[in-house]
Amino acid sequence: MSYEKVLQAQRIVIGTKQTVKALNEGQVKELIVATDAEPKVTAKLVNKASESDVPIRYVDSMKKLGKACGIEVGAATVAIIR
């Protein structure tokens, strides 16, 4: 499951703005996207990741994804950094 991948990752980037920056810099190994996040928030990231051949994994809950990252709020996206 992708939640475990986030927990085990050495370096992650949380949130859309930071993830866009990391994608543009070619640092992202894998993108994790919460399916309950607003599509207008995640669409740009998903498109950019697809263009860059970055694997995209989907999880069902922003809240659980945020918890896996160690934050108290939900996370729409998390990038696992190389």
Side-chain angles (χ1 to χ4, degrees):
M1 190 67 155
S2 294
Y3 296 117
E4 285 81 24
K5 280 189 169 191
V6 171
L7 286 168
Q8 295 170 358
Q10 299 272 329
R11 294 180 57 212
I12 60 171
V13 173
I14 304 166
T16 54
K17 287 181 183 178
Q18 293 84 353
T19 301
V20 167
K21 183 178 177 187
L23 279 167
N24 287 335
E25 293 173 356
Q27 299 177 342
V28 179
K29 181 168 63 172
E30 189 170 348
L31 179 66
I32 313 295
V33 179
T35 56
D36 63 342
E38 288 290 327
K40 65 182 177 183
V41 173
T42 60
K44 181 178 180 181
L45 293 169
V46 170
N47 290 337
K48 181 69 177 168
S50 295
E51 291 170 5
S52 303
D53 291 326
V54 172
I56 304 167
R57 305 279 180 255
Y58 292 92
V59 295
D60 60 351
S61 169
M62 286 178 59
K63 186 171 182 147
K64 288 181 188 175
L65 187 56
K67 192 171 189 171
C69 295
I71 60 175
E72 296 296 319
V73 294
T77 63
V78 173
I80 298 175
I81 303 300
R82 297 183 200 281

